[in-house]
Amino acid sequence: MKGPLLFRPKRRRWLLATAAVAALSLVLALGLTAWRGWSAGDVWGLTFGTLAALLMLLGALYGVRRRLMVPPLTTAQDWLQAHVYGSTLAALFVLIHMGFKWPGGQFGWWLLGLTIWTTFSGLVGVGLQKWVPALLAGQLTVEVIYD
């Protein structure tokens, strides 16, 4: 499997929607910061913090997806996409909520560190899920027919 194919998303619309929401959120946050400054405790900071928490909750519900097949998440693939893209978007919303500033206390550092660690390890997992099967299949010389 070649490099560009390795990074091709399974559902392109999920990637495009997430990228659009991320871009609009960044533009909104930067515009508000330039206009009146940013605070994690004002209405916009709390909005992004709440959205991040809700997206993290949605990502955590992936384990019980079989009991929660509700529209628009009616298939396992939809749940997986919501888990991956929603959790990544949640990490961005955490950074926007903080105003892209370092936390002030130990609790904030722990929360930021856990958010970054969870997001990074999840994205590494997505990469491994795409890379390892392609690597194994590329080294096969004989195809076994399952019958």
Side-chain angles (χ1 to χ4, degrees), residues 3 8 15-17 27 40 43 46-47 60 62 65 67 76 84 87 90 94 100 108 112 115-116 119 130 145:
R8 185 185 323 179
L15 176 65
L16 295 176
V27 166
V43 71
L46 290 175
T47 299
Y62 178 70
R65 68 189 178 278
R67 295 184 200 118
V84 170
S87 298
V94 166
F100 293 97
L112 177 63
T115 300
I116 291 171
T119 304
K130 290 178 177 250
I145 298 174

Side-chain angles (χ1 to χ4, degrees), residues 38-40 45 48 93-103 108 112:
W38 189 264
S39 171
F48 277 105
F93 285 175
V94 166
L95 294 174
I96 292 174
H97 163 71
M98 295 170 39
F100 293 97
K101 295 178 184 166
W102 295 116
L112 177 63

Side-chain angles (χ1 to χ4, degrees), residues 9-11 13-14 62 65 69 72-85 129-130:
K10 288 186 180 184
R11 303 272 172 100
R13 65 184 171 92
W14 280 89
Y62 178 70
R65 68 189 178 278
M69 292 292 185
L73 303 174
T74 55
T75 65
Q77 185 63 236
D78 287 338
W79 269 98
L80 179 63
Q81 299 299 308
H83 175 76
V84 170
Y85 289 111
Q129 278 185 326
K130 290 178 177 250

